[in-house]
Amino acid sequence: MSTRHDPRPPAVPDIRLIVTDMDGTLLDADGNVPVGLWPLLEELGRRGIVFSPASGRQYATLAHLFEGADEGMVYIAENGALVVRDGVELSSDPIDPAVSARLVTCVRQLAEEGRDVGVVVCGKRSAYTERGDEAFLAQVAKYYRAHRVVDDATSVDDEIIKVAVLDFGGAENGAARALEAFSDTHQVVVSGELWIDVMNRTADKGAAVRRLQQRLGIGPEQTMVFGDYLNDLEMLDTADWSFAMANAHPDILRRARHTAPAHTDEGVLRTIKDVLGI
């Protein structure tokens, strides 16, 4: 761990909440949970520290990753649009179905123009996509364990909390620009190299963490967060102990108070152990 302020705290801080992004942050180079996390979760539980994965991934996907080791864990799913603990919804921020339909129509137009894109309409029960080719579904399955191919994604029977767009040509310089018109009323967030997420303005990881802090009676000085990409920006502002991974986007490195080793070096685990003296 390296920091831009104190090289090491004078005493073990009273951390009560640890929030971490998944891809490029907690997960290893192959997209797996590092095996060292499981005993660490047990130790955090003994210390009364709440652990919270925060991701653009679907709740069903996150719950599957931590199945059997998630008692008391808080899942911040869909970039903060859905928060669940022990199977109970703590908060959600549904998107207007009319806006979802407009986004689907916009992505259809991009595809007709020749861009290699697809849309994922993210409901509370499942994710829905109109594109069913193998390459697209392979990417969708990484983040949306519960997903269905439908004829018309503008009329699904579910409560929609996010719309995600996959651009095989690159999100930041591709589909994100085409979706800029939606940023007047909604958040348009580049959440990965290929992904853009569109949500309500009130839905982001930072807002979800703040609601959780209030619910648990935990302050920023008791909170540790880790992130690597642009959808983690607001989350970094919720914690005195904010860490950018060494492999993070430049904007994340500038925003965080501290820097952790890269996700390929188990930076989250190493930093937690270092700060807490485990």
Side-chain angles (χ1 to χ4, degrees):
M1 177 188 75
S2 63
T3 77
R4 302 195 189 98
H5 302 295
D6 302 321
R8 179 180 288 273
V12 175
D14 179 30
I15 300 298
R16 298 287 96 197
L17 173 64
I18 297 175
V19 184
T20 179
D21 174 56
M22 297 292 287
D23 297 276
T25 302
L26 176 64
L27 302 184
D28 64 20
D30 297 319
N32 298 317
V33 176
V35 294
L37 179 66
W38 310 119
L40 181 57
L41 287 178
E42 292 181 5
E43 177 60 25
L44 296 178
R46 284 191 288 270
R47 296 186 181 207
I49 298 172
V50 175
F51 184 83
S52 178
S55 176
R57 292 178 181 233
Q58 178 187 56
Y59 165 61
T61 304
L62 293 174
H64 176 70
L65 282 172
F66 293 95
E67 188 175 11
D70 60 351
E71 183 178 355
M73 185 180 291
V74 177
Y75 293 108
I76 298 176
E78 308 284 15
N79 277 324
L82 179 64
V83 180
V84 178
R85 186 180 197 183
D86 294 331
V88 177
E89 179 182 311
L90 300 185
S91 65
S92 65
D93 201 337
I95 197 169
D96 186 339
V99 174
S100 174
R102 284 173 47 215
L103 284 160
V104 171
T105 301
C106 180
V107 176
R108 286 174 180 168
Q109 181 63 38
L110 290 175
E112 289 174 4
E113 293 170 0
R115 191 148 193 99
D116 194 1
V117 297
V119 67
V120 182
V121 174
C122 307
K124 287 186 177 181
R125 296 193 302 273
S126 180
Y128 308 88
T129 179
E130 296 174 343
R131 182 169 167 176
D133 59 282
E134 185 177 351
F136 181 75
L137 292 181
Q139 291 294 325
V140 170
K142 293 179 182 180
Y143 308 101
Y144 303 97
R145 179 175 175 80
H147 65 272
R148 294 169 48 194
V149 178
V150 296
D151 292 332
D152 183 4
T154 67
S155 59
V156 297
D157 182 20
D158 203 343
E159 196 168 7
I160 307 306
I161 50 180
K162 188 185 75 178
V163 176
V165 180
L166 172 62
D167 187 339
F168 281 104
E172 192 166 2
N173 295 314
R177 294 181 176 178
L179 298 174
E180 283 180 355
F182 290 90
S183 64
D184 291 340
T185 55
H186 291 73
Q187 291 191 79
V188 179
V189 182
V190 177
S191 59
E193 184 181 353
L194 305 180
W195 289 95
I196 306 105
D197 289 336
V198 182
M199 305 165 292
N200 289 335
R201 283 197 176 278
T202 48
D204 60 56
K205 291 183 182 180
V209 173
R210 286 193 175 91
R211 287 192 294 267
L212 180 59
Q213 287 170 322
Q214 185 175 20
R215 189 182 189 101
L216 299 178
I218 292 171
E221 73 284 355
Q222 297 172 302
T223 305
M224 182 184 297
V225 301
F226 297 88
D228 79 303
Y229 219 76
L230 298 174
N231 59 330
D232 300 320
L233 279 169
E234 293 84 2
M235 182 170 73
L236 295 174
D237 297 337
T238 68
D240 290 357
W241 295 89
S242 60
F243 290 85
M245 310 309 290
N247 53 281
H249 188 286
D251 289 351
I252 295 292
L253 288 163
R254 284 190 289 267
R255 188 83 150 247
R257 292 175 178 242
H258 309 284
T259 305
H263 72 114
T264 51
D265 292 328
E266 297 192 345
V268 171
L269 274 62
R270 290 171 57 189
T271 301
I272 292 172
K273 291 177 180 179
D274 189 23
V275 171
L276 298 181
I278 297 175

